[in-house]
Amino acid sequence: MAAEFGRLRKGAVNTTVAAVVVAALAASQAPGVTTDGAGRKVTTGTQPSPDTPAADSATGNSPYYTDLPPLNSPNPAPSAGTTVTPAAGEAGIPATVLDAYKKAEAALRESKPHCNLPWQLLAAIGKVESGQARGGRVDANGTTLSKILGPQLNGAGFANISDTDDGAYDGDARYDRAVGPMQFIPSTWKWAGRDGNGDGRKDPNNVYDAALAAGHYLCRFDWNLAEQADLDRAILSYNNSRDYLNLVMRWLDYYRKGTHEIPDGTGTLPSGRSDDGAGANPTPSPTPSTPSSPSPPSAPTTPSKPGGSEPGDGGSGGPKPTPPPSTTPPTPTDTVDHLEDAGTAKLTAMAGDTFAEKISARAETDSGKAVARVRVRFTITGDTDAVFSTGEKVAAVLTDGSGKAVAPALRAGEDTGEFTVRATVVGRALPGLDYTATVTERAADTLARTGDTALTCVPGGEFAERVEVKATYKGAVADKVAATATLIKAADDPDENDKGPYFKDADGKPVRTLTGLKTDADGLLELPKLYADDTTGTFLLRIATAGGATLTVELKVAAAETPPAEEPTESASPSA
């Protein structure tokens, strides 16, 4: 069966494509599918949420390509001289694109192993979103030869998402468009973008960057994609459509049965769209070539987007008609005028700890009335390794009936200092609301020896017992806490002593102050072996940690006691 191509508008499928979908789904089973009342097979699990704003998905719920996998299972890579069947061609994935998917899977396996992201899921989404970067039309670095742009999200049959990037990614300063091989909208790419090829840039038009970003996006809520319910949720978060979920699942199942690498630029091109209302299937654009110098237009026209016309860009690059004024009543998001702090207290936590206070913001109209069911995005910015409890630096939360959105708990990393969390309204270009958070160094408030053996030594000898202490903070183990150990002159004189016990450095030379010490995971710190010079007496070792905990340990250096000499016994005199 030849694959059918087209672009789906959310909720609108032309008759021909719908018939093909039904026929294909009826022809074979896939994991997690069931039959509905009309005889169609659909995935079970999470349903699309009518309350999820399009701007809070990866793609803005943009249109997508509707080609189905062949009904026959894919074959291994064809050998030389073998006729390549349509099924084998569909199973092939362009080399650079396939490499990007597999590298993204490997990266996620290391950073988020609990997610169980399969590269075949990225391949399924990449097929549906862009036809595998339009058949692998990418350069050696994985950047598309020309931009892949979705239509304007102007509310005329699609979501209404006003420009959020000043046209930086999509060339459109009025409305957002989905961008690149994985079709991220600019507002999502702003926080979800990743550098997948190590060139120091986050480019939605680069398949390595886009694939890694898609993987992190799908894994952002601690979902386990090995479980069908979580897999459904992840796919629906990418594009909130049951038709989309079913289609991605079909391609995922197909790629899991086998695929092979094909040369870049030789993949199947998406051949049309169904979102123009007429079910047209225009001829695909040819591979980009060197353009000739354009003639000046006879009259002013609407500027075409960068890269010229692409399948899926909503037109031929020429003038586009102005959509009629929207008669749709304003959404709750449209009524928001600003965000207010909803009583967030001071945000301070020790490195490695979870912040006790959560950030909360309230969406309000210009008159101060609370607005419910508005998506608020919280983004961690600044030079910090702090994350939310989800493991990500961004979280989107729906406001409750009082207009309040509470971010997930913040988790401090090891970087100390201040950073910022910015709250913004998803789908609106309103000023953000900033919160300052502070991470302090790990600390202890109590130090205690783990043993009570007296620490003694003879002059010129070494102490048999090592000093070990345990650090706690508010009764809990204080791990990775910085500490110093100094042999001091007296209890009221913390200066370093110049005689008595000492440690040895790497060269065996005496040192009486140790820095750079840290407690272990159990809060324990064992000091190196101590030695004594020829000075006798009582000496003090002071251990101090960040947070103010101190402990003073007594050391004694004394000559060994000589046992008393035995008195001679008198022998008895012989009798006369």
Side-chain angles (χ1 to χ4, degrees), residues 152-215:
Q152 282 187 333
L153 297 175
N154 56 15
F158 310 116
N160 190 339
I161 304 178
S162 298
D163 173 68
T164 60
D165 66 332
D166 293 326
Y169 292 120
D170 55 14
D172 192 329
R174 186 176 181 188
Y175 296 101
D176 269 353
R177 298 170 180 251
V179 181
M182 301 304 279
Q183 289 288 277
F184 279 95
I185 55 174
S187 59
T188 301
W189 183 262
K190 184 177 181 180
W191 61 263
R194 294 292 195 279
D195 177 13
N197 62 353
D199 64 356
R201 300 175 61 234
K202 299 176 183 179
D203 182 3
N205 300 295
N206 182 278
V207 69
Y208 287 99
D209 295 359
L212 184 60

Short mmCIF file of all heavy atoms in Angstrom, two decimals, residues 152-215:
data_model
loop_
_atom_site.label_atom_id
_atom_site.label_comp_id
_atom_site.label_asym_id
_atom_site.label_seq_id
_atom_site.Cartn_x
_atom_site.Cartn_y
_atom_site.Cartn_z
N GLN A 152 1.17 30.24 9.83
CA GLN A 152 0.94 31.23 10.89
C GLN A 152 -0.12 30.70 11.85
O GLN A 152 -1.19 30.26 11.44
CB GLN A 152 0.43 32.54 10.30
CG GLN A 152 1.47 33.42 9.67
CD GLN A 152 0.88 34.77 9.29
OE1 GLN A 152 -0.32 34.88 9.01
NE2 GLN A 152 1.72 35.80 9.27
N LEU A 153 0.19 30.77 13.14
CA LEU A 153 -0.80 30.39 14.16
C LEU A 153 -1.60 31.64 14.50
O LEU A 153 -1.43 32.28 15.54
CB LEU A 153 -0.09 29.81 15.37
CG LEU A 153 0.69 28.52 15.08
CD1 LEU A 153 1.46 28.06 16.30
CD2 LEU A 153 -0.24 27.42 14.59
N ASN A 154 -2.50 31.99 13.54
CA ASN A 154 -3.22 33.26 13.61
C ASN A 154 -4.69 33.11 13.96
O ASN A 154 -5.46 34.05 13.84
CB ASN A 154 -3.08 34.00 12.27
CG ASN A 154 -3.57 33.17 11.10
OD1 ASN A 154 -4.26 32.15 11.29
ND2 ASN A 154 -3.21 33.57 9.89
N GLY A 155 -5.08 31.90 14.37
CA GLY A 155 -6.47 31.69 14.76
C GLY A 155 -7.39 31.38 13.59
O GLY A 155 -8.55 31.03 13.80
N ALA A 156 -6.89 31.45 12.36
CA ALA A 156 -7.71 31.15 11.19
C ALA A 156 -7.61 29.66 10.88
O ALA A 156 -6.90 29.23 9.99
CB ALA A 156 -7.23 31.97 9.99
N GLY A 157 -8.30 28.86 11.67
CA GLY A 157 -8.26 27.42 11.51
C GLY A 157 -7.22 26.75 12.38
O GLY A 157 -7.18 25.53 12.48
N PHE A 158 -6.36 27.55 13.02
CA PHE A 158 -5.34 27.01 13.90
C PHE A 158 -5.44 27.72 15.25
O PHE A 158 -6.29 28.57 15.45
CB PHE A 158 -3.93 27.24 13.31
CG PHE A 158 -3.79 26.80 11.88
CD1 PHE A 158 -3.53 27.73 10.89
CD2 PHE A 158 -3.95 25.48 11.53
CE1 PHE A 158 -3.39 27.33 9.57
CE2 PHE A 158 -3.82 25.07 10.23
CZ PHE A 158 -3.55 26.00 9.24
N ALA A 159 -4.49 27.37 16.14
CA ALA A 159 -4.40 28.11 17.39
C ALA A 159 -4.02 29.56 17.09
O ALA A 159 -3.46 29.86 16.05
CB ALA A 159 -3.35 27.47 18.29
N ASN A 160 -4.33 30.44 18.03
CA ASN A 160 -3.98 31.86 17.88
C ASN A 160 -2.85 32.16 18.86
O ASN A 160 -3.08 32.33 20.06
CB ASN A 160 -5.20 32.74 18.16
CG ASN A 160 -4.94 34.19 17.78
OD1 ASN A 160 -3.79 34.62 17.69
ND2 ASN A 160 -6.00 34.95 17.58
N ILE A 161 -1.61 32.22 18.35
CA ILE A 161 -0.45 32.48 19.20
C ILE A 161 0.29 33.67 18.63
O ILE A 161 0.92 33.57 17.56
CB ILE A 161 0.48 31.25 19.29
CG1 ILE A 161 -0.30 30.02 19.78
CG2 ILE A 161 1.64 31.55 20.23
CD1 ILE A 161 0.53 28.76 19.85
N SER A 162 0.19 34.79 19.29
CA SER A 162 0.89 35.98 18.83
C SER A 162 2.40 35.78 18.92
O SER A 162 2.89 34.93 19.66
CB SER A 162 0.47 37.20 19.66
OG SER A 162 -0.92 37.44 19.52
N ASP A 163 3.14 36.58 18.17
CA ASP A 163 4.59 36.45 18.11
C ASP A 163 5.22 36.53 19.50
O ASP A 163 4.83 37.36 20.32
CB ASP A 163 5.17 37.56 17.23
CG ASP A 163 6.69 37.58 17.26
OD1 ASP A 163 7.29 36.62 16.74
OD2 ASP A 163 7.25 38.52 17.84
N THR A 164 6.19 35.64 19.76
CA THR A 164 6.88 35.64 21.05
C THR A 164 8.39 35.80 20.90
O THR A 164 9.10 35.86 21.91
CB THR A 164 6.62 34.32 21.81
OG1 THR A 164 7.10 33.22 21.02
CG2 THR A 164 5.14 34.14 22.11
N ASP A 165 8.90 35.87 19.65
CA ASP A 165 10.36 35.91 19.47
C ASP A 165 10.80 37.03 18.53
O ASP A 165 11.95 37.03 18.07
CB ASP A 165 10.85 34.57 18.93
CG ASP A 165 10.35 34.27 17.53
OD1 ASP A 165 9.25 34.77 17.17
OD2 ASP A 165 11.03 33.58 16.77
N ASP A 166 9.89 37.98 18.24
CA ASP A 166 10.20 39.06 17.29
C ASP A 166 10.67 38.50 15.95
O ASP A 166 11.48 39.12 15.25
CB ASP A 166 11.27 40.00 17.86
CG ASP A 166 10.78 40.79 19.06
OD1 ASP A 166 9.57 41.13 19.09
OD2 ASP A 166 11.58 41.07 19.97
N GLY A 167 10.17 37.31 15.61
CA GLY A 167 10.51 36.72 14.32
C GLY A 167 11.90 36.12 14.25
O GLY A 167 12.36 35.74 13.17
N ALA A 168 12.59 36.00 15.39
CA ALA A 168 13.98 35.53 15.37
C ALA A 168 14.10 34.12 14.82
O ALA A 168 15.03 33.82 14.06
CB ALA A 168 14.56 35.59 16.78
N TYR A 169 13.19 33.23 15.17
CA TYR A 169 13.27 31.85 14.71
C TYR A 169 12.43 31.60 13.46
O TYR A 169 12.84 30.86 12.56
CB TYR A 169 12.80 30.90 15.81
CG TYR A 169 13.72 30.83 17.00
CD1 TYR A 169 13.26 31.17 18.28
CD2 TYR A 169 15.04 30.43 16.87
CE1 TYR A 169 14.10 31.11 19.38
CE2 TYR A 169 15.89 30.37 17.97
CZ TYR A 169 15.41 30.71 19.22
OH TYR A 169 16.23 30.65 20.31
N ASP A 170 11.23 32.20 13.41
CA ASP A 170 10.29 31.86 12.34
C ASP A 170 10.14 32.95 11.30
O ASP A 170 9.37 32.80 10.34
CB ASP A 170 8.92 31.51 12.93
CG ASP A 170 8.36 32.62 13.83
OD1 ASP A 170 8.89 33.74 13.79
OD2 ASP A 170 7.40 32.34 14.56
N GLY A 171 10.84 34.09 11.44
CA GLY A 171 10.75 35.15 10.46
C GLY A 171 9.42 35.86 10.44
O GLY A 171 9.12 36.61 9.51
N ASP A 172 8.60 35.65 11.46
CA ASP A 172 7.27 36.25 11.51
C ASP A 172 7.15 37.04 12.81
O ASP A 172 7.16 36.46 13.90
CB ASP A 172 6.20 35.15 11.45
CG ASP A 172 4.81 35.70 11.21
OD1 ASP A 172 4.52 36.83 11.65
OD2 ASP A 172 3.99 34.99 10.59
N ALA A 173 7.05 38.35 12.72
CA ALA A 173 6.98 39.20 13.90
C ALA A 173 5.55 39.47 14.35
O ALA A 173 5.33 40.27 15.25
CB ALA A 173 7.69 40.53 13.64
N ARG A 174 4.58 38.80 13.70
CA ARG A 174 3.18 39.01 14.08
C ARG A 174 2.59 37.78 14.78
O ARG A 174 1.94 37.90 15.81
CB ARG A 174 2.34 39.34 12.84
CG ARG A 174 0.91 39.71 13.19
CD ARG A 174 0.12 40.11 11.96
NE ARG A 174 -1.24 40.49 12.30
CZ ARG A 174 -2.20 40.75 11.41
NH1 ARG A 174 -1.91 40.66 10.10
NH2 ARG A 174 -3.41 41.08 11.79
N TYR A 175 2.84 36.61 14.22
CA TYR A 175 2.35 35.38 14.80
C TYR A 175 3.49 34.37 14.90
O TYR A 175 4.47 34.45 14.15
CB TYR A 175 1.22 34.76 13.96
CG TYR A 175 -0.02 35.60 13.88
CD1 TYR A 175 -0.28 36.37 12.75
CD2 TYR A 175 -0.93 35.62 14.92
CE1 TYR A 175 -1.43 37.16 12.67
CE2 TYR A 175 -2.08 36.41 14.86
CZ TYR A 175 -2.33 37.17 13.73
OH TYR A 175 -3.45 37.94 13.65
N ASP A 176 3.35 33.42 15.80
CA ASP A 176 4.32 32.34 15.88
C ASP A 176 4.05 31.29 14.82
O ASP A 176 2.91 31.13 14.35
CB ASP A 176 4.29 31.68 17.27
CG ASP A 176 5.25 32.33 18.25
OD1 ASP A 176 6.04 33.18 17.81
OD2 ASP A 176 5.21 31.98 19.44
N ARG A 177 5.10 30.55 14.44
CA ARG A 177 5.01 29.39 13.55
C ARG A 177 5.86 28.29 14.16
O ARG A 177 6.85 28.56 14.83
CB ARG A 177 5.57 29.71 12.16
CG ARG A 177 4.85 30.81 11.37
CD ARG A 177 5.68 31.17 10.15
NE ARG A 177 5.08 32.21 9.33
CZ ARG A 177 4.54 32.02 8.14
NH1 ARG A 177 4.53 30.81 7.62
NH2 ARG A 177 4.02 33.01 7.47
N ALA A 178 5.49 27.05 13.91
CA ALA A 178 6.34 25.94 14.33
C ALA A 178 7.58 25.92 13.44
O ALA A 178 7.51 26.20 12.24
CB ALA A 178 5.58 24.62 14.21
N VAL A 179 8.73 25.58 14.04
CA VAL A 179 10.02 25.73 13.36
C VAL A 179 10.82 24.43 13.42
O VAL A 179 10.87 23.78 14.47
CB VAL A 179 10.86 26.85 14.00
CG1 VAL A 179 12.19 27.03 13.27
CG2 VAL A 179 10.10 28.17 14.02
N GLY A 180 11.45 24.07 12.30
CA GLY A 180 12.46 23.03 12.30
C GLY A 180 11.94 21.62 12.15
O GLY A 180 10.73 21.37 12.05
N PRO A 181 12.85 20.64 12.14
CA PRO A 181 12.47 19.24 11.89
C PRO A 181 11.57 18.64 12.97
O PRO A 181 10.86 17.69 12.70
CB PRO A 181 13.81 18.51 11.82
CG PRO A 181 14.79 19.41 12.47
CD PRO A 181 14.31 20.80 12.24
N MET A 182 11.60 19.20 14.19
CA MET A 182 10.71 18.69 15.24
C MET A 182 9.59 19.69 15.54
O MET A 182 8.83 19.51 16.48
CB MET A 182 11.50 18.36 16.51
CG MET A 182 12.60 17.32 16.30
SD MET A 182 12.03 15.75 15.62
CE MET A 182 11.40 14.94 17.08
N GLN A 183 9.50 20.78 14.76
CA GLN A 183 8.38 21.73 14.76
C GLN A 183 8.08 22.32 16.14
O GLN A 183 6.93 22.28 16.63
CB GLN A 183 7.14 21.06 14.17
CG GLN A 183 7.23 20.83 12.68
CD GLN A 183 7.13 22.14 11.88
OE1 GLN A 183 6.04 22.62 11.62
NE2 GLN A 183 8.29 22.69 11.50
N PHE A 184 9.09 22.89 16.77
CA PHE A 184 8.88 23.62 18.02
C PHE A 184 8.38 25.03 17.72
O PHE A 184 8.88 25.69 16.80
CB PHE A 184 10.19 23.74 18.81
CG PHE A 184 10.55 22.51 19.60
CD1 PHE A 184 11.40 21.56 19.06
CD2 PHE A 184 10.05 22.32 20.87
CE1 PHE A 184 11.75 20.44 19.79
CE2 PHE A 184 10.38 21.19 21.61
CZ PHE A 184 11.24 20.25 21.06
N ILE A 185 7.41 25.51 18.50
CA ILE A 185 7.07 26.92 18.40
C ILE A 185 8.10 27.72 19.19
O ILE A 185 8.69 27.21 20.15
CB ILE A 185 5.63 27.21 18.91
CG1 ILE A 185 5.43 26.70 20.34
CG2 ILE A 185 4.59 26.64 17.96
CD1 ILE A 185 4.09 27.09 20.93
N PRO A 186 8.36 28.98 18.81
CA PRO A 186 9.43 29.75 19.44
C PRO A 186 9.32 29.85 20.96
O PRO A 186 10.33 29.78 21.66
CB PRO A 186 9.32 31.12 18.77
CG PRO A 186 8.77 30.82 17.41
CD PRO A 186 7.80 29.70 17.63
N SER A 187 8.11 30.02 21.49
CA SER A 187 7.97 30.19 22.94
C SER A 187 8.37 28.93 23.69
O SER A 187 8.88 28.99 24.82
CB SER A 187 6.53 30.58 23.30
OG SER A 187 5.62 29.59 22.85
N THR A 188 8.15 27.76 23.08
CA THR A 188 8.58 26.51 23.71
C THR A 188 10.07 26.31 23.55
O THR A 188 10.77 25.90 24.48
CB THR A 188 7.81 25.31 23.12
OG1 THR A 188 6.41 25.50 23.31
CG2 THR A 188 8.22 24.02 23.80
N TRP A 189 10.58 26.61 22.34
CA TRP A 189 12.02 26.44 22.11
C TRP A 189 12.84 27.30 23.05
O TRP A 189 13.93 26.92 23.47
CB TRP A 189 12.37 26.77 20.66
CG TRP A 189 13.83 26.54 20.38
CD1 TRP A 189 14.83 27.46 20.35
CD2 TRP A 189 14.45 25.27 20.14
NE1 TRP A 189 16.02 26.86 20.10
CE2 TRP A 189 15.83 25.52 19.96
CE3 TRP A 189 13.98 23.96 20.04
CZ2 TRP A 189 16.74 24.49 19.69
CZ3 TRP A 189 14.88 22.95 19.78
CH2 TRP A 189 16.22 23.21 19.61
N LYS A 190 12.30 28.45 23.44
CA LYS A 190 13.05 29.38 24.29
C LYS A 190 13.53 28.70 25.56
O LYS A 190 14.63 28.96 26.05
CB LYS A 190 12.17 30.59 24.62
CG LYS A 190 12.89 31.66 25.42
CD LYS A 190 11.99 32.87 25.63
CE LYS A 190 12.70 33.97 26.41
NZ LYS A 190 11.83 35.14 26.63
N TRP A 191 12.71 27.80 26.14
CA TRP A 191 13.13 27.11 27.36
C TRP A 191 13.50 25.66 27.13
O TRP A 191 14.27 25.07 27.91
CB TRP A 191 12.05 27.20 28.44
CG TRP A 191 10.73 26.57 28.08
CD1 TRP A 191 9.63 27.20 27.59
CD2 TRP A 191 10.36 25.20 28.21
NE1 TRP A 191 8.60 26.32 27.39
CE2 TRP A 191 9.02 25.08 27.77
CE3 TRP A 191 11.02 24.06 28.65
CZ2 TRP A 191 8.34 23.87 27.76
CZ3 TRP A 191 10.35 22.84 28.65
CH2 TRP A 191 9.02 22.75 28.20
N ALA A 192 12.98 25.06 26.07
CA ALA A 192 13.23 23.63 25.85
C ALA A 192 14.43 23.37 24.95
O ALA A 192 14.91 22.23 24.87
CB ALA A 192 11.99 22.97 25.22
N GLY A 193 14.94 24.39 24.26
CA GLY A 193 16.02 24.19 23.31
C GLY A 193 17.27 23.60 23.95
O GLY A 193 17.59 23.87 25.11
N ARG A 194 17.98 22.77 23.19
CA ARG A 194 19.21 22.13 23.66
C ARG A 194 20.28 22.22 22.57
O ARG A 194 19.96 22.39 21.39
CB ARG A 194 18.97 20.64 24.00
CG ARG A 194 18.05 20.36 25.18
CD ARG A 194 18.67 20.78 26.49
NE ARG A 194 18.00 20.24 27.65
CZ ARG A 194 16.89 20.71 28.19
NH1 ARG A 194 16.30 21.76 27.65
NH2 ARG A 194 16.37 20.16 29.28
N ASP A 195 21.52 22.10 22.97
CA ASP A 195 22.64 22.03 22.03
C ASP A 195 23.01 20.56 21.89
O ASP A 195 23.72 20.01 22.73
CB ASP A 195 23.82 22.85 22.55
CG ASP A 195 25.05 22.75 21.65
OD1 ASP A 195 24.91 22.25 20.52
OD2 ASP A 195 26.14 23.15 22.09
N GLY A 196 22.56 19.92 20.83
CA GLY A 196 22.78 18.49 20.66
C GLY A 196 24.04 18.12 19.92
O GLY A 196 24.48 16.97 19.98
N ASN A 197 24.63 19.07 19.20
CA ASN A 197 25.84 18.75 18.42
C ASN A 197 27.08 19.44 18.95
O ASN A 197 28.14 19.40 18.32
CB ASN A 197 25.63 19.08 16.94
CG ASN A 197 25.37 20.56 16.70
OD1 ASN A 197 25.22 21.34 17.65
ND2 ASN A 197 25.31 20.96 15.45
N GLY A 198 26.98 20.08 20.12
CA GLY A 198 28.15 20.65 20.78
C GLY A 198 28.77 21.83 20.09
O GLY A 198 29.96 22.10 20.30
N ASP A 199 27.99 22.58 19.30
CA ASP A 199 28.58 23.75 18.63
C ASP A 199 28.34 25.04 19.40
O ASP A 199 28.64 26.13 18.90
CB ASP A 199 28.03 23.88 17.20
CG ASP A 199 26.53 24.15 17.15
OD1 ASP A 199 25.89 24.17 18.24
OD2 ASP A 199 25.99 24.33 16.04
N GLY A 200 27.79 24.93 20.60
CA GLY A 200 27.56 26.11 21.42
C GLY A 200 26.29 26.87 21.09
O GLY A 200 26.04 27.94 21.65
N ARG A 201 25.46 26.35 20.18
CA ARG A 201 24.22 27.02 19.79
C ARG A 201 23.03 26.09 20.03
O ARG A 201 23.17 24.87 20.02
CB ARG A 201 24.25 27.43 18.31
CG ARG A 201 25.38 28.38 17.96
CD ARG A 201 25.41 28.64 16.45
NE ARG A 201 24.17 29.26 15.98
CZ ARG A 201 23.41 28.79 14.99
NH1 ARG A 201 23.77 27.69 14.36
NH2 ARG A 201 22.32 29.42 14.62
N LYS A 202 21.87 26.69 20.22
CA LYS A 202 20.62 25.94 20.32
C LYS A 202 19.75 26.36 19.15
O LYS A 202 19.09 27.39 19.20
CB LYS A 202 19.92 26.24 21.66
CG LYS A 202 20.74 25.84 22.88
CD LYS A 202 20.04 26.25 24.18
CE LYS A 202 20.88 25.93 25.39
NZ LYS A 202 20.21 26.36 26.65
N ASP A 203 19.78 25.56 18.09
CA ASP A 203 19.15 25.94 16.83
C ASP A 203 18.00 24.98 16.52
O ASP A 203 18.23 23.79 16.30
CB ASP A 203 20.20 25.89 15.71
CG ASP A 203 19.63 26.31 14.35
OD1 ASP A 203 18.45 26.70 14.29
OD2 ASP A 203 20.39 26.27 13.37
N PRO A 204 16.75 25.46 16.48
CA PRO A 204 15.63 24.56 16.20
C PRO A 204 15.67 23.98 14.80
O PRO A 204 14.98 23.00 14.51
CB PRO A 204 14.40 25.46 16.39
CG PRO A 204 14.90 26.86 16.16
CD PRO A 204 16.31 26.86 16.68
N ASN A 205 16.50 24.58 13.91
CA ASN A 205 16.63 24.07 12.56
C ASN A 205 17.70 22.99 12.44
O ASN A 205 17.91 22.44 11.36
CB ASN A 205 16.98 25.22 11.60
CG ASN A 205 15.93 26.30 11.60
OD1 ASN A 205 14.80 26.08 11.19
ND2 ASN A 205 16.29 27.48 12.09
N ASN A 206 18.37 22.68 13.54
CA ASN A 206 19.38 21.64 13.54
C ASN A 206 18.79 20.36 14.12
O ASN A 206 18.22 20.37 15.21
CB ASN A 206 20.60 22.07 14.37
CG ASN A 206 21.70 21.03 14.36
OD1 ASN A 206 21.66 20.07 15.12
ND2 ASN A 206 22.68 21.23 13.48
N VAL A 207 18.92 19.25 13.40
CA VAL A 207 18.24 18.03 13.80
C VAL A 207 18.83 17.46 15.10
O VAL A 207 18.10 16.83 15.88
CB VAL A 207 18.26 16.99 12.67
CG1 VAL A 207 19.65 16.45 12.42
CG2 VAL A 207 17.28 15.86 12.93
N TYR A 208 20.13 17.68 15.37
CA TYR A 208 20.71 17.19 16.63
C TYR A 208 20.15 18.00 17.81
O TYR A 208 19.77 17.43 18.84
CB TYR A 208 22.23 17.31 16.59
CG TYR A 208 22.90 16.29 15.71
CD1 TYR A 208 23.30 16.62 14.41
CD2 TYR A 208 23.13 14.99 16.15
CE1 TYR A 208 23.91 15.69 13.59
CE2 TYR A 208 23.74 14.04 15.33
CZ TYR A 208 24.12 14.40 14.06
OH TYR A 208 24.72 13.46 13.25
N ASP A 209 20.09 19.31 17.65
CA ASP A 209 19.55 20.16 18.71
C ASP A 209 18.07 19.87 18.93
O ASP A 209 17.60 19.74 20.07
CB ASP A 209 19.73 21.64 18.35
CG ASP A 209 21.19 22.06 18.30
OD1 ASP A 209 22.07 21.22 18.56
OD2 ASP A 209 21.46 23.23 17.98
N ALA A 210 17.33 19.76 17.82
CA ALA A 210 15.88 19.56 17.91
C ALA A 210 15.54 18.20 18.50
O ALA A 210 14.61 18.07 19.31
CB ALA A 210 15.25 19.72 16.53
N ALA A 211 16.28 17.15 18.12
CA ALA A 211 16.00 15.80 18.63
C ALA A 211 16.27 15.73 20.13
O ALA A 211 15.49 15.14 20.89
CB ALA A 211 16.83 14.77 17.87
N LEU A 212 17.38 16.32 20.57
CA LEU A 212 17.69 16.31 22.01
C LEU A 212 16.66 17.12 22.78
O LEU A 212 16.22 16.71 23.86
CB LEU A 212 19.09 16.86 22.25
CG LEU A 212 19.59 16.81 23.69
CD1 LEU A 212 19.61 15.39 24.22
CD2 LEU A 212 20.97 17.44 23.81
N ALA A 213 16.25 18.26 22.23
CA ALA A 213 15.22 19.07 22.88
C ALA A 213 13.91 18.29 22.98
O ALA A 213 13.23 18.32 24.02
CB ALA A 213 15.01 20.37 22.12
N ALA A 214 13.54 17.59 21.92
CA ALA A 214 12.31 16.80 21.94
C ALA A 214 12.38 15.70 22.99
O ALA A 214 11.41 15.43 23.70
CB ALA A 214 12.05 16.21 20.56
N GLY A 215 13.56 15.06 23.11
CA GLY A 215 13.71 14.03 24.12
C GLY A 215 13.53 14.57 25.52
O GLY A 215 12.81 14.00 26.34
#
